[in-house]
Amino acid sequence: MLDFSQRLKQLRRDRHLTQAQVAKRIGVTAAMVSSYEDIRLPSYEVKVRLADLFGVTVDYLLCRQDKRFLDISDLSEEEAALVCGMVELLKKKDGKK
């Protein structure tokens, strides 16, 4: 089972970001990001910034849930329907439904 540090590292690598890039985007040092990926838990405020950066919930970051969420609130109804349709097609392709 993943823990916070592993989940953070996985999300960062999936997006091809360095620790320095993540640090700059959330307002901490690269050394702090490194410590988050090792043993230290960030403050609640930093957890929220990380969740926003990676487009996930804090619960996902903390490994309390495995589902990812995609914010489509700024899309039109038609665009949102297209995204939902694409997700369903991908689930069927991968046998996840």
Side-chain angles (χ1 to χ4, degrees):
M1 184 172 155
L2 289 177
D3 65 11
F4 172 83
S5 61
Q6 294 168 323
R7 174 80 31 103
L8 175 59
K9 188 181 290 188
Q10 175 188 31
L11 287 167
R12 179 179 62 78
R13 288 181 174 170
D14 286 350
R15 286 161 180 76
H16 307 288
L17 295 171
T18 65
Q19 290 175 342
Q21 290 170 320
V22 170
K24 184 175 181 180
R25 293 179 187 187
I26 64 168
V28 300
T29 65
M32 290 301 295
V33 173
S34 176
S35 72
Y36 302 152
E37 290 184 2
D38 188 26
I39 57 167
R40 184 175 178 173
L41 280 175
S43 68
Y44 179 75
E45 181 179 305
V46 171
K47 287 176 194 155
V48 170
R49 284 190 230 143
L50 285 165
D52 289 345
L53 173 65
F54 293 117
V56 298
T57 64
V58 173
D59 277 347
Y60 182 81
L61 271 178
L62 294 173
C63 303
R64 293 174 43 108
Q65 67 179 204
D66 287 329
K67 292 184 178 183
R68 293 186 185 196
F69 295 92
L70 181 63
D71 181 8
I72 59 172
S73 59
D74 291 336
L75 300 180
S76 70
E77 290 297 319
E78 183 179 314
E79 293 167 332
L82 285 170
V83 170
C84 290
M86 290 172 61
V87 169
E88 291 304 315
L89 283 173
L90 290 170
K91 283 182 181 178
K92 288 178 185 175
K93 175 184 166 237
D94 292 337
K96 294 180 182 175
K97 188 164 186 183

